[in-house]
Amino acid sequence: MEEIRCPMCGKPNPDHLETCQHCQARLKPLIISSDESLPAEPDNNDAGLPDWLRSDQQDEAPSEAESEAESTPEDDPADDDWMNKLREEGDSAPIDNSALDESPVYEDSEEGDWLDRIKELRDTDEEPPEEDDSSSLFDGALPSWMSEGGEEPALEESPAEEDSSIFDGALPSWMSEKEEEPTTDEVIPQDEAPSPEPGASIPDWLAASEEQAAELDKEVEVDESELPEWLAGSDQAEPEPTPEETPILFPDLQEAAAPASEELASAEPSDDELPDWFSTKAESSDDSPPSSEPADDELPDWMTEPSGVEAEPATSIPESTPDPDIELPAWMLESAEDVDAQPAAESTEGEIPDWMSGEEAEPQVSTIPAEPDPETPDWLEKIGDDAIPELASDDLSPTGEDIFKIDQLTELLRDEDDLQIPEPEGAIDDGLAPAELPGWLEAMRPVESSADGDSTAEQGQTEQTGPLAGLSGVLMAEPEIARLKQAPKLSSRLQVSETQQEHVRVFRELLETEGQAEKQAKPIVVSSQGLLRWLSAFFLIFVIGLVIIGETQFVPAPPQASVPVEVLNTSSLINSLAPKDPVLVSFDFEPGTSGEMNAAAAAVVDHLMIRGAYLTLISTSPTGPALAEYFISTVQREHQYTSGSQYVNLGYIPGGASGLLGFVQMPQRIKPLSFDGFDPWITAPLDGIYALSDFKMVLVITDNPDIAQSWIEQVEPRIQDTPLITVVSAQVEPILRPFVGGEGAQVRGMVSGVIGGTAYEQVTGKDNLGRTYWDALNFSLMTAIAAILIGGIVNVFSILLRSRNRGEA
Amino acid sequence: MTAANMNLADLIGLLIGFSFTIFILSYILGDNFLFRFATHIFIGAAAGYASVVTIYNVILPQLIFPLMNGGQGEMILTISLLIPSLLLLAKISPRLSKIGNPAMAILVGIGAAVAIGGGIFGTIFPQVSAAVNVFETNNFLEGAILLIGTFTTLLYFQFNSKQSKNQRPAIVQATKLIRWIGKAFIAITFGALFAGVYVAALTALIERFSFLWTFIKELVLPAALG
């Protein structure tokens, strides 16, 4: 379901609602049909024209296009607003003129459609329709130029009545004359009344329109059903209208005037075919009732001022000289052509509307002595005396061909307000006080006809729709933001400087390079890392297995001369021990390196046992005591050492270096119980031991350089002359080497790994685990060395080959 | 050693040792369940064994037994040591961890003092004295090498440089040469360490293969051959 956003509160509403469900504001504006209210194609040149002039232009437009099908009733320019309303007035029933007396003030005077108000007055009239009133009504409702054409015959037959002049003051005579025109057509039957001569009772331009309409009727057969009612009604009312008597443009006007036609026919025309307002004005000078006849000072300015223009007509007229490029209204052109075509002698003043005759008489006025024409109104005479002569002398050609300058006349009519803007000094001089318009007359004033474009523009935009249509300067009901506006045209091109363009280029290059994979040199991929690993493992396992399974001893043990000094020092120190000397042995290695450590320490411990030393086992690693027990009971099982008698396992010393330092200072307190849970200090191995310096030797078996260093740092300085020897893993030897030396060294002797153990075995002359692993170790080492050499050679050749390829490339 | 003269515990121990050795060696085929199973078992067994050793070899003889069977002075001393030990248990809870900070501070302070004292009096002074005494021996070459190696290695970690006015900081060419020599000594040292590690690992492998062959030779083959 679509929604309509309220122009007042901005909230959405269903589209079927007439009013906003939130604020009760009208959602759908009261739109006057554009065909009726606005001209289809407004001409810019007509911007300053009043509605009635524009509508007349549109009325004439179809007549120019005689052969076009647009001349159908639907497109008939007679659909103009004021005409339609006038048509409706004609259809309306009794006309009440009393409302005019009751409410003469019209608040909608600014609406511009002043004819509508006249019709409203007719609608509100309470009195029964009287023919006289009706005739007077139309005297005031229609401009004189309209009523004049039809009034001329009627004026000859019907005398003017006082009631009929009620609106004479309210409406210009040219309107009343125009209004009375169809009335005469109704009053005078076609068979009885003499058919008016073309150009005599009907203006030429109307006659031309009639002729065109007649031709259209002949050429185009219009279906009766397609005709609008007003047109059909007019046809019924006038079955045989003659083109001369019935202007096709105002059929409804004829119908509206029908009830009053007879009365109008009997009414006496004004003297010498003068307009009603002229005649009434003339009568009012004698004995006119003030109540029914407006005074001169009540007349609107635009009606009175022309008389005052005579003071300075030359100042205003030249300013209002129309642009020759402006297109003349068609009807005016035709009228002008008709006037030009007719010889001056043939055109009688009675056959020409007053306002036109006055204009035509201007050249004559300029040459002929001033003799007031009885049919010429005063304001035309004034214009003829002062303003027109200026035009005739300046703008019109002396040949008299352009006697009737419609452009100038139009501007003259259009700028009537301009004519009255300058306060005529002559009027004041003549004793004529400036008139004050009554409210009702001010309301009836055709504001739009007198308002120029500039004032309209200053007042703001004219409301086009709704009840305020036609009013200008009205506050907008819709917020400005709710109005549909064309989006501002913004430039889509960025103003980018050269520096910014350079930055963009650099940034774009960076982005492009980001998306591209960096070219990397293909790594030298060995056929398979797994294969290489498999090959290495295979060769090692094969060599080791072959040696172990074969229990070969191809590789000779290191000779005695090649035994390291530290090994020899160790052997000599052990040889210096007496039987049952207490020796502290530290097993500080992990189970993972037990194989190496056992092989390295087997010969040394075996030598100690051979020497009959009592062993006290200790460890700073939790797994050390168990490994010590395993070593004594398994590796050295041949010596049949028993716990508590030849050796004692004190177990684990917690705290690392701190615990080791405490054990050095207070051995009995730190290790009150043995690993087996008994008091070790009463056993033979610890008999007479109260400090570590009481031991004859301290042997540290470790695979950890830090533990070895802790023993060296914490224990060696406090054991005084007790030698410290170490059996370490091969990986610890480089680190402990600085501590190993001669007599002044911290470590008196050291056996490192399988190689040291085998060397020690050579010193002692007794094979042990070192010799068992010796062949396997040497073959595996040679295999590793061979693999390293082969790998190195392959790498060298690959590098040379690569450099050669680069050189060739 | 044969299966006949072996008790059940030793036999089970050998079987377990043989199996787990095979599991570990299976890593040559890549990471697998047997390898992970063996490593998990070893880690768990080592932790459990360490806990048992700590309880039976540390807590009971040095804390519980003195409280139960010790004299008054020994009990007072034990209680005075028990309190900071219990405060260390508060480190388990993050909320109460501050309670154990004093005991932890004592431990760290004592450990640092022991390490520093041992380093100064057990390593630096003796090493300086040993480096000086090298030349007292008749092995001048060894002493010279030790001196040059020590000197150049220490200079290798000297990164100071002289900066002249309006010039970039530059290292003197002589310093560069010394540093290069020191780098050579360091490389040789690392090579020796790698060789020692490789030899230790290779020895462990040989020991394991020797164990396997012994197990097969003394237990499997006699049983298989009848």
Side-chain angles (χ1 to χ4, degrees), chain B residues 89-143:
Chain B
L89 296 176
K91 301 295 288 185
I92 299 174
S93 173
R95 188 166 56 89
L96 303 176
S97 62
K98 293 182 179 179
I99 299 175
N101 288 341
M104 184 60 71
I106 293 174
L107 291 178
V108 172
I110 293 175
V114 170
I116 291 174
I120 292 174
F121 296 103
T123 300
I124 294 178
F125 288 169
Q127 287 298 313
V128 172
S129 175
V132 173
N133 294 332
V134 170
F135 291 96
E136 293 180 354
T137 61
N138 295 326
N139 196 351
F140 180 79
L141 181 60
E142 183 181 358

Side-chain angles (χ1 to χ4, degrees), chain A residues 270-540:
Chain A
S270 59
D271 296 337
D272 299 332
E273 298 180 355
L274 289 175
D276 292 340
W277 62 280
F278 261 113
S279 60
T280 54
K281 185 176 182 181
E283 293 175 1
S284 64
S285 62
D286 298 334
D287 54 354
S288 61
S291 61
S292 61
E293 211 172 45
D296 290 339
D297 54 358
E298 295 179 356
L299 291 175
D301 293 338
W302 62 278
M303 297 177 66
T304 58
E305 287 300 325
S307 60
V309 173
E310 59 186 357
E312 291 179 356
T315 58
S316 60
I317 291 176
E319 294 178 357
S320 62
T321 301
D323 188 357
D325 296 335
I326 296 176
E327 294 181 0
L328 291 175
W331 62 275
M332 284 188 172
L333 290 175
E334 291 181 357
S335 300
E337 291 174 0
D338 294 338
V339 171
D340 294 339
Q342 292 178 358
E346 294 178 1
S347 61
T348 61
E349 294 179 355
E351 296 172 354
I352 301 173
D354 294 340
W355 60 280
M356 294 179 65
S357 63
E359 294 292 338
E360 289 182 349
E362 291 169 359
Q364 297 176 357
V365 169
S366 61
T367 56
I368 301 173
E371 184 175 357
D373 192 342
E375 297 181 357
T376 303
D378 293 337
W379 61 278
L380 279 179
E381 289 181 355
K382 300 294 184 183
I383 295 174
D385 292 340
D386 298 326
I388 303 304
E390 292 291 333
L391 292 173
S393 60
D394 297 336
D395 301 332
L396 299 180
S397 63
T399 59
E401 297 177 357
D402 296 331
I403 292 174
F404 191 73
K405 282 282 187 177
I406 299 301
D407 293 345
Q408 298 174 358
L409 181 60
T410 305
E411 289 298 325
L412 181 64
L413 295 174
R414 185 188 304 169
D415 298 331
E416 283 179 350
D417 286 344
D418 295 338
L419 295 175
Q420 67 184 4
I421 288 173
E423 188 65 25
E425 298 177 355
I428 299 175
D429 296 339
D430 295 340
L432 296 176
E436 294 180 358
L437 289 178
W440 62 272
L441 189 57
E442 183 70 22
M444 294 176 63
R445 179 187 176 186
V447 179
E448 292 183 358
S449 62
S450 60
D452 52 3
D454 296 335
S455 61
T456 305
E458 293 177 354
Q459 292 176 356
Q461 186 178 1
T462 302
E463 197 72 16
Q464 299 295 334
T465 60
L468 302 178
L471 297 181
S472 59
V474 178
L475 293 177
M476 291 182 294
E478 301 175 358
E480 188 69 21
I481 193 172
R483 291 179 177 269
L484 295 177
K485 295 181 179 178
Q486 187 177 6
K489 295 180 180 178
L490 301 177
S491 176
S492 61
R493 300 188 60 182
L494 295 175
Q495 300 295 333
V496 182
S497 63
E498 294 181 356
T499 305
Q500 292 172 339
Q501 290 178 355
E502 182 66 17
H503 292 170
V504 169
R505 186 187 63 80
V506 173
F507 187 66
R508 185 180 290 112
E509 289 179 358
L510 287 175
L511 293 179
E512 291 176 354
T513 55
E514 283 291 329
Q516 297 175 355
E518 185 179 359
K519 293 182 179 179
Q520 296 180 348
K522 293 183 178 178
I524 300 173
V525 179
V526 183
S527 58
S528 173
Q529 294 287 343
L531 178 61
L532 184 62
R533 187 174 57 191
W534 271 100
L535 289 175
S536 302
F538 173 77
F539 280 110
L540 281 177

